[in-house]
Amino acid sequence: MRQRRLPNLAVLRAFEATVRYGSVSKAAKSLNVTDGAVSRAVREFEQTLGFALFQRTSRMVHPTPQAQELASEIGRGLDNLQSAIDRACRHHQNRPLVISCEPTFLIRWLIPRLAGLQQAVGKERDLQLVSAGGAVAFSREGIDLAIRRNDFPIADDVVARPFLKERVGPVCRREHAAAGRELRGTLLHTETRPYAWRDWCAHSGFEIRPGNELRFEHFYLSLQAAVAGAGIGIGPLALVADDIVNGALVAPYGFAPDGTDYVLMTLADGQEDAIFSTVLDWLIAMGEETERAVLAGGKKA
C-alpha cells in the first residue's frame, strides 16, 4: 500500500481559499487567520510540490492553470471530508440545525417568527442562524438548510423548493402617499438591488418624477429609512409585511411579482429530508399567513 504523503489540512485550506477568492487577504479573512499565515502556508505547499502555483505581482497573486485545477480537486475533497464528518455527527441529538438566510429576510421576517420555527422543528434541537446571500457552500460552511431568493444559478446537487413569491412595490409612511399615478418624494435606493425601482416602473406602468434620492448599502437600511419617514422605499411584501400590519408603512400601489421566489435549499443527499419537509411546510404556511395579513392591512388602510 502506498504511503500517503499529504500536506497538513491548514496548508490545503489556505491554498484552496486563496485560489477561490483570488486574494490572500480575502482567503485569510474567510479562514479567520492572518494574511501572513496564508502566505506562509501557500509557500510551504509550493516547496512541498517543487513548483510555483501563483504568478505574483506587487499587489496580486494569479493562480496558474495547474493551481486552479488542483484547487478545484482539493475543494471537492474538503467538501467530501466535511460531509463525512457531518454524517458522523448527525446522530448526535444536541447538534444544532444550521440555517443560512439572506440578511434582510432574516432580520425583518424570520426572526420575528422564530418562536414558531423552533416549535415546528422541536425544542430538542437547537437552531443556529447565520446571515449570508447567494450560492451556499453547504458542506464547507456546515450549513443544513438555506433560505434564498432564487435570483442566481442553483447547483445540480442542491434541492430548492419555493415557499413565497417575491412581490415588490413602493412603501412609505401614510403622510407621504400621493394620489394619482405619479410618485413624488425622496426615493430610497439600495446597492444590493440597484435596479429595483426601474424594474418596478417597467412592470407597473407607473412613472417617477425626478427628485431627491437616498442610497443605502443594505436593503434593510433603506426599508428602515422608509419607516422613519425619510422617503419612499421599494419594498418586497414579505420584508415590509409587519410594518404594514402595524400601520408604520402603507403600500399605495400594492405589490407586483418580480418573477423570483424565496426558496428553501439543502443538499440532495437525503440527510436532512425529514427536517427539510418540516421547515418547508412551516415556511409555506407562514408565507400564506403573511400575504393574508398584508391584504387585510391594506383593506384597513
Side-chain angles (χ1 to χ4, degrees), residues 50-105:
F51 54 85
L53 294 167
F54 295 90
Q55 297 174 347
R56 293 172 172 85
T57 65
S58 58
R59 294 185 178 181
M60 299 185 68
V61 293
H62 300 281
T64 64
Q66 192 170 11
Q68 291 176 333
E69 181 179 354
L70 182 57
S72 178
E73 293 292 338
I74 290 174
R76 280 193 286 270
L78 292 172
D79 286 344
N80 290 337
L81 177 60
Q82 185 65 62
S83 295
I85 293 172
D86 289 344
R87 286 192 296 271
C89 292
R90 277 192 174 113
H91 67 87
H92 198 285
Q93 292 183 349
N94 293 328
R95 194 184 73 85
L97 178 69
V98 182
I99 302 177
S100 171
C101 185
E102 292 186 346
T104 306
F105 194 89

Side-chain angles (χ1 to χ4, degrees), residues 38-248:
V38 171
S39 294
R40 286 192 296 272
V42 170
R43 290 191 182 279
E44 179 183 333
F45 193 29
E46 290 178 318
Q47 290 173 359
T48 300
L49 295 175
F51 54 85
L53 294 167
F54 295 90
Q55 297 174 347
R56 293 172 172 85
T57 65
S58 58
R59 294 185 178 181
M60 299 185 68
V61 293
H62 300 281
T64 64
Q66 192 170 11
Q68 291 176 333
E69 181 179 354
L70 182 57
S72 178
E73 293 292 338
I74 290 174
R76 280 193 286 270
L78 292 172
D79 286 344
N80 290 337
L81 177 60
Q82 185 65 62
S83 295
I85 293 172
D86 289 344
R87 286 192 296 271
C89 292
R90 277 192 174 113
H91 67 87
H92 198 285
Q93 292 183 349
N94 293 328
R95 194 184 73 85
L97 178 69
V98 182
I99 302 177
S100 171
C101 185
E102 292 186 346
T104 306
F105 194 89
L106 175 64
I107 294 170
R108 297 185 65 86
W109 192 89
L110 188 58
I111 288 178
R113 295 160 178 80
L114 198 53
L117 176 57
Q118 182 68 76
Q119 184 177 5
V121 170
K123 294 183 178 180
E124 68 278 2
R125 190 164 187 187
D126 292 335
L127 297 176
Q128 180 180 338
L129 303 179
V130 295
S131 63
V136 185
F138 285 95
S139 297
R140 184 178 298 138
E141 298 176 6
I143 304 300
D144 297 310
L145 307 177
I147 294 173
R148 295 288 191 271
R149 190 166 62 96
N150 59 351
D151 59 344
F152 62 93
I154 295 175
D156 293 338
D157 63 345
V158 172
V159 174
R161 296 288 182 265
F163 64 88
L164 181 65
K165 286 190 175 297
E166 178 74 308
R167 307 176 192 274
V168 299
V171 293
C172 58
R173 291 176 64 107
R174 188 180 301 276
E175 57 266 28
H176 290 168
R181 294 184 63 83
E182 280 192 355
L183 291 174
R184 301 181 183 182
T186 299
L187 296 184
L188 309 177
H189 297 265
T190 175
E191 292 182 9
T192 53
R193 296 199 199 181
Y195 305 115
W197 273 110
R198 183 199 68 184
D199 294 343
W200 179 81
C201 290
H203 285 95
S204 67
F206 283 73
E207 297 178 357
I208 299 176
R209 175 173 292 188
N212 294 335
E213 295 184 345
L214 279 174
R215 297 184 180 276
F216 298 88
E217 183 179 3
H218 296 293
F219 210 170
Y220 59 83
L221 296 177
S222 68
L223 297 179
Q224 192 59 39
V227 173
I232 305 170
I234 187 78
L237 182 149
L239 306 187
V240 297
D242 295 341
D243 292 314
I244 289 177
V245 170
N246 65 30

